[in-house]
Amino acid sequence: MAAPVPPKNIRISSPEKVADLLVKAAAIGCPLLIKAVSAPTASVRGRAFPNDNIEISKQLKIGNISANGLAHLAAHGSEGVQIEFILAAIKIVFVTTLSSFTGQTCLVNYPKFLESFERRKDARIAAVGNSRAYISLESWMPDSSDFSTVPFFESSKEFSSLILVGDVSAGGISLVSPFPAIRSAISVSEKLHSAFFHLPMQRPLKVMVSIRWAKKTVEIIKSEGDQDRSVTSFRFGVQFNDPSEAVKKSLKAFLATAALADAI
């Protein structure tokens, strides 16, 4: 099998092209992330806005910034900021300087160049924190007498069938479970499974899925006292089969929200 082709990246240094792309991002209110160069582990959420002040040229207006985000940028942004946003199928990244703050907005200077990166067709977003998701198979319900399944009370049996989603893309998801019982219900094949996809703050979505891959992983974790312990997980790659427009719409909204979930 040939090695995967790395995504292409192109440096855009033409001032006219730089301005054109930033004006387009502002025109559609593109969501973006801001990272202070001196504190790159934290991301601040914002949204590009048209700059209506004709006296200010070559500056991008960024609004919808939280109070915590503004405070973070004010404290750490003096050495420059990195801006990231998605335009069509291209990820745009550039480093620039902050110009000013007004209310919930800030102005950043146009950079000398942009870096554009091709995105993979179906980028995967981790389902963590408030973006956790689950799937339940109509054909499988854990048995309380099976010691290889998740422990549960009979009064809450319906929750025991929820399988944790590791990450999500437009074309499928990965599942992860520390309990081996799930292996008896699903295996790698072309067989279709009827399932319900559970996303935060949404009604369960009816989907048809197939299992594309399965693997067992063992992770060594150091605990207090430098004692090693092994943690076993069972992981499965799941592909959506001809998802409905409602499912596609919900996935798109979830992916957009989850991509910014850890930002301030």
Side-chain angles (χ1 to χ4, degrees):
M1 181 181 293
V5 178
K8 296 179 182 179
N9 67 292
I10 300 172
R11 175 170 290 197
I12 301 169
S13 55
S14 163
E16 294 78 14
K17 187 63 174 176
V18 168
D20 181 57
L21 288 172
L22 295 183
V23 168
K24 284 181 179 178
I28 63 173
C30 192
L32 46 76
L33 291 178
I34 315 166
K35 296 182 181 180
V37 171
S38 62
T41 56
S43 298
V44 175
R45 282 177 284 189
R47 187 177 291 274
F49 282 94
N51 191 346
D52 299 324
N53 191 338
I54 59 175
E55 296 180 359
I56 301 177
S57 60
K58 297 183 179 180
Q59 290 183 326
L60 177 66
K61 183 179 180 181
I62 303 175
N64 286 17
I65 304 175
S66 68
N68 288 338
L70 288 170
H72 176 79
L73 293 176
H76 302 285
S78 60
E79 296 182 24
V81 292
Q82 176 177 290
I83 311 293
E84 302 176 9
F85 62 89
I86 305 298
L87 201 59
I90 301 296
K91 179 179 180 180
I92 303 292
V93 179
F94 64 91
V95 176
T96 186
T97 53
L98 286 165
S99 175
S100 62
F101 294 94
T102 304
Q104 287 186 297
T105 68
C106 71
L107 293 175
V108 300
N109 297 308
Y110 278 11
K112 292 182 178 180
F113 62 87
L114 307 173
E115 295 277 1
S116 70
F117 299 85
E118 277 188 351
R119 302 174 72 211
R120 59 174 288 175
K121 182 180 178 182
D122 291 325
R124 291 192 172 275
I125 302 296
V128 297
N130 292 332
S131 298
R132 291 203 180 278
Y134 299 86
I135 199 168
S136 55
L137 302 172
E138 286 195 300
S139 61
W140 182 72
M141 180 65 70
D143 184 347
S144 59
S145 64
D146 184 355
F147 294 107
S148 67
T149 193
V150 57
F152 63 90
F153 294 104
E154 286 293 332
S155 59
S156 58
K157 187 174 182 178
E158 65 274 16
F159 296 110
S160 66
S161 65
L162 297 178
I163 308 166
L164 182 65
V165 171
D167 57 48
V168 181
S169 77
I173 58 179
S174 71
L175 304 179
V176 57
S177 175
F179 301 99
I182 186 61
R183 292 187 300 177
S184 65
I186 56 178
S187 59
V188 179
S189 71
E190 297 295 329
K191 177 183 176 181
L192 293 180
H193 298 266
S194 179
F196 286 99
F197 189 28
H198 305 263
L199 292 172
M201 306 299 292
Q202 295 190 41
R203 293 181 180 276
L205 300 168
K206 184 70 174 290
V207 291
M208 297 299 294
V209 301
S210 59
I211 312 303
R212 311 306 298 172
W213 55 263
K215 64 182 178 180
K216 174 182 176 181
T217 61
V218 180
E219 182 180 4
I220 304 300
I221 298 177
K222 282 192 175 294
S223 56
E224 293 183 9
D226 285 335
Q227 296 294 316
D228 292 346
R229 63 187 182 92
S230 62
V231 177
T232 301
S233 296
F234 301 92
R235 298 177 180 272
F236 306 87
V238 177
Q239 181 178 18
F240 297 123
N241 181 69
D242 194 21
S244 66
E245 288 303 316
V247 170
K248 292 178 181 178
K249 184 177 179 180
S250 293
L251 276 170
K252 184 177 180 180
F254 173 80
L255 289 168
T257 301
L260 302 176
D262 293 333
I264 297 173

